[in-house]
Amino acid sequence: MTMANTIGFIGTGVMASSLIGGIVAEGLYAPDQIYCSDPYPPAREVASKKGYNVTESNSVVCTNAKDAVFLAVKPNCVLDVCKDIAEVEQLDAVVVSIAAGVTLEALENALPGKRIVRVMPNTPCLVREAASGFSLGSLATDDDRKLVKKLLDAVGVSMEVPENLLNAVTGLSGSGPAFVFQFIEALSDGGVRAGLPRHVATMLAAQTVKGAAEMVLNTGKHPGELKDGVTSPGGTTIAGVEALEKGYDVVSLNRSTFCFLGLKIHPFHTFFIGTLPRHGTTFWLYFFPVIWYESGFRASTMSAVTAATKRSMQLGGASDEEIGNKYGL
């Protein structure tokens, strides 16, 4: 159901455009109920073509937005934009900031008497699969809470958290997509290492991550329980899990061992490990073949894929010699 009033966006970048797109697609507001400002002419032109009310003036947006005004600008620009907002005496809309790191205290000091909500969305907002956290300012009302949640849920899911946890939200869901992209790439690398064409490996890896995530969300089961459901005794998956854990164990062993021995890790540790404190004695790699070897995130993930592939071949009757000679695994 379309809302009766209007909302505004100061800034029409990627995140703002994604939010607006989801809000319109969900039928919460029509394009002509949305007011936008942006200093960049091409951005205004794009927004105008979508049917939004577009202006250069932040004050015009604040004057016309009756429900909410989103601050969708870079963190270093927020306080300057707040000066424009503070000049609008008749502003009764809740101010929603999506600027990372700008606290509610800073916003409330810049906008005395205004109702403020701080939000941390993430880039899957672009495909309406965002995971957002939000916190209410001291003057925000329960109606503000319901409105902001409805708007954020138009592009994914949202959860209210105390503001002191928004940094953790930033680290988890804000930065998390980059970690997942690395994992997908590493899974794909493992598939390529096992013989799959790159485009096939990447598609299978991405769909696997998407499907696994949906299982966590839809079943309500702990990820460990779902993992156990895949790892049949003596099967391919448990072989991959073992290889994955071994990779991380080596990393932990390396760092723990360095700390225990008091070794200083050199930037050129490809050639030597380090030096003992006080004595300055250099230890070369071949003296410590286990300690120096460090398997990173990508290598561990690739090892898991290839280990599961190898176990699948073994279960099909192939010998280790045949697997090594024929497939290079």
Side-chain angles (χ1 to χ4, degrees):
M1 179 179 175
T2 303
M3 309 288 274
N5 284 320
T6 51
I7 58 171
F9 284 80
I10 298 177
T12 59
V14 173
M15 197 68 74
S17 297
S18 301
L19 280 167
I20 298 171
I23 289 167
V24 171
E26 285 292 304
L28 299 179
Y29 291 86
D32 63 359
Q33 292 177 291
I34 295 169
Y35 286 79
C36 303
S37 63
D38 199 293
Y40 189 48
R44 294 199 301 272
E45 183 178 353
V46 170
S48 181
K49 288 180 178 178
K50 294 179 180 179
Y52 312 145
N53 300 288
V54 181
T55 176
E56 289 185 64
S57 170
N58 298 332
S59 299
V60 170
V61 171
C62 295
T63 300
N64 286 279
K66 303 304 180 184
D67 288 340
V69 173
F70 280 77
L71 293 184
V73 297
K74 294 184 183 300
N76 63 318
C77 299
V78 167
L79 295 183
D80 285 337
V81 171
C82 284
K83 294 177 183 177
D84 294 337
I85 298 175
E87 293 175 357
V88 182
E89 296 180 0
Q90 65 270 39
L91 176 66
D92 191 44
V94 60
V95 177
V96 184
S97 171
I98 65 172
V102 183
T103 65
L104 286 170
E105 181 181 11
L107 292 165
E108 289 182 336
N109 286 338
L111 297 170
K114 305 300 183 185
R115 307 188 324 276
I116 298 172
V117 177
R118 182 181 165 195
V119 173
M120 184 63 226
N122 65 0
T123 54
C125 173
L126 275 69
V127 291
R128 296 173 66 186
E129 293 292 349
S132 305
F134 68 94
S135 299
L136 270 62
S138 60
L139 300 179
T141 67
D142 189 53
D143 285 341
D144 295 330
R145 173 187 287 110
K146 292 175 182 177
L147 174 63
V148 170
K149 181 166 179 57
K150 178 180 284 190
L151 296 176
L152 294 177
D153 287 350
V155 291
V157 298
S158 63
M159 302 191 75
E160 182 181 359
V161 297
E163 190 189 15
N164 67 331
L165 294 181
L166 273 184
N167 287 331
V169 171
T170 302
L172 174 58
S173 55
S175 302
F179 311 150
V180 176
F181 295 148
Q182 280 193 289
F183 181 57
I184 292 171
E185 185 183 25
L187 281 176
S188 177
D189 285 346
V192 172
R193 174 69 180 83
L196 290 173
R198 171 63 71 182
H199 71 283
V200 173
T202 300
M203 178 61 71
L204 291 176
Q207 182 60 37
T208 297
V209 171
K210 180 181 179 181
E214 288 290 347
M215 288 184 69
V216 173
L217 293 172
N218 292 335
T219 66
K221 293 181 178 179
H222 189 281
E225 183 181 356
L226 292 172
K227 180 264 296 176
D228 288 345
V230 188
T231 51
S232 54
T236 63
T237 306
I238 196 64
V241 169
E242 180 185 27
L244 189 65
E245 294 290 348
K246 280 182 177 178
Y248 292 135
D249 285 345
V250 172
V251 174
S252 299
L253 170 64
N254 289 344
R255 291 172 182 165
S256 299
T257 305
F258 285 136
C259 291
F260 178 74
L261 295 178
L263 291 172
K264 178 182 177 183
I265 303 174
H266 286 261
F268 303 107
H269 65 276
T270 304
F271 303 102
F272 53 83
I273 296 179
T275 56
L276 278 176
R278 299 181 185 176
H279 301 290
T281 305
T282 299
F283 284 81
W284 298 90
L285 290 180
Y286 53 80
F287 289 142
F288 297 97
V290 176
I291 297 175
W292 71 263
Y293 176 74
E294 189 161 335
S295 177
F297 177 83
R298 182 187 304 273
S300 300
T301 304
M302 290 175 65
S303 294
V305 175
T306 53
T309 302
K310 183 175 180 180
R311 182 57 180 158
S312 179
M313 293 174 178
Q314 290 170 337
L315 293 175
S319 66
D320 286 348
E321 182 179 6
E322 179 185 1
I323 293 170
N325 292 337
K326 189 173 181 180
Y327 300 101
L329 299 177

